[in-house]
Amino acid sequence: MKINLDSPVIVFLTTVADFMILNILFILCCAPVITIGPAVSALYTITMREARHEGGYIFKPFFKAFKNNFKQAFLLPILYLIIG
């Protein structure tokens, strides 16, 4: 029995697995509470990439987005914390 990798069931299961991995990465990056901002930014970046059907890997782009947006996404929640 051959499995067709382009079948709707396999595509759906692959997408579900990708989002599960993405959520685990998000939770791990939120473990130190101060990195919630960059983690949300990276999660949003990768989720939008998946919504545009640009698929591909999850780990490397997530950490690249986390690194690229760290400074900007780190300072805003700190500002909100001070104001709050």
Side-chain angles (χ1 to χ4, degrees), residues 9-30:
V9 174
I10 298 297
V11 170
F12 174 75
L13 291 176
T14 302
T15 303
V16 168
D18 284 345
F19 281 111
M20 288 173 60
I21 292 169
L22 188 58
N23 282 314
I24 290 170
L25 286 173
F26 172 71
I27 290 170
L28 290 175
C29 289
C30 283

